[in-house]
Amino acid sequence: MRDSITLDSTRLQRLQQTPLWDFALTLYARPGVEAACLKLQEEAGLDVCEMLFHCWLYSCGLEAEPRALAYQREQRHLWQCHVTEVLRGLRQDLKASAAESESVKALRETIKQAELMAERENLQRWQAWALDPPSDEERVVNVVEKPTNAAKWLLKQLFLGRCSHQGEGGVKEQNEWLDSLQTLTCQLDPHQGAR
């Protein structure tokens, strides 16, 4: 449910005081979150950075404005495809060779660090988008009432404005995705951040 009143400055201030990168590291380290994120990335084609971004907003009682989200989502997807996924692919391709060669192992570790830096850059761009909107554009809005099912709320946020063929899955797949999303959202206290 959306609030028609002005964006709550207290919520926005709380968001400004919690860098998305720090929030993401804290949440990702919680029990089961890494596995849930990777499962959703592999099986549902979801972007882990975007999942963490929506969790960050939710933790401060905010959510992305759907119309404004579409262009940013496209830009972040391009970054993931052209930078992060390329590095991830290189790292994965070197896994077997790294077991047999110290120099390849060192190279793989360097690529892993570059991949992490690419993820951080992506999260920083999500954060800048949310915190620095043009004066005539609303990008985040208040979440008026705590959703009764935060995992369903997060699933809805992740599929807002996407083409119908994206993210479609059978009931079984969607229930599995909800289970994984529940792992993320149970680690959140709305308006308090990652536990």
Side-chain angles (χ1 to χ4, degrees):
M1 176 181 266
R2 301 197 190 289
D3 190 349
S4 61
I5 62 171
T6 306
L7 182 63
D8 183 339
S9 63
T10 304
R11 295 177 191 192
L12 189 58
Q13 185 178 35
R14 209 169 25 243
L15 196 69
Q16 292 167 334
Q17 293 172 349
T18 308
L20 176 53
W21 176 250
D22 295 343
F23 173 88
L25 289 176
T26 300
L27 180 60
Y28 203 76
R30 300 297 301 158
V33 171
E34 178 181 1
C37 285
L38 295 177
K39 179 178 180 173
L40 289 162
Q41 177 179 276
E42 294 299 317
E43 295 178 13
L46 295 175
D47 178 6
V48 172
C49 288
E50 185 178 352
M51 283 185 268
L52 296 169
F53 168 73
H54 287 292
C55 288
W56 177 62
L57 292 178
Y58 176 77
S59 73
C60 293
L62 300 168
E63 62 187 357
E65 206 298 309
R67 288 168 294 197
L69 180 63
Y71 178 75
Q72 179 65 5
R73 178 180 278 149
E74 180 182 323
Q75 295 304 302
R76 301 290 39 85
H77 177 73
L78 289 172
W79 175 268
Q80 290 295 79
C81 288
H82 295 137
V83 180
T84 309
E85 290 175 10
V86 170
L87 293 167
R88 184 176 299 128
L90 289 170
R91 179 180 54 80
Q92 291 170 342
D93 289 348
L94 293 173
K95 187 173 184 175
S97 300
E100 300 169 5
S101 167
E102 285 300 315
S103 60
V104 174
K105 183 178 179 181
L107 174 60
R108 187 172 184 267
E109 185 58 35
T110 299
I111 293 170
K112 182 178 179 181
Q113 291 306 312
E115 181 186 353
L116 187 60
M117 290 173 65
E119 296 282 11
R120 184 176 189 164
E121 177 62 27
N122 197 22
L123 288 169
Q124 288 173 331
R125 290 178 183 202
W126 273 113
Q127 177 178 314
W129 175 81
L131 296 178
D132 300 324
S135 60
D136 63 339
E137 183 180 24
E138 186 175 62
R139 293 182 175 172
V140 295
V141 295
N142 299 332
V143 174
V144 179
E145 295 177 19
K146 178 183 171 189
T148 56
N149 185 328
K152 283 185 179 179
W153 173 89
L154 183 54
L155 185 66
K156 179 181 151 214
Q157 297 304 305
L158 292 165
F159 288 113
L160 276 175
R162 293 188 184 224
C163 298
S164 61
H165 69 278
Q166 288 181 303
E168 268 192 19
V171 172
K172 180 182 177 196
E173 289 87 3
Q174 288 195 7
N175 285 336
E176 289 175 8
W177 300 343
L178 283 171
D179 287 344
S180 294
L181 290 168
Q182 184 64 37
T183 300
L184 269 73
T185 58
C186 76
Q187 297 294 337
L188 299 172
D189 288 327
H191 319 301
Q192 293 180 7
R195 287 194 251 158

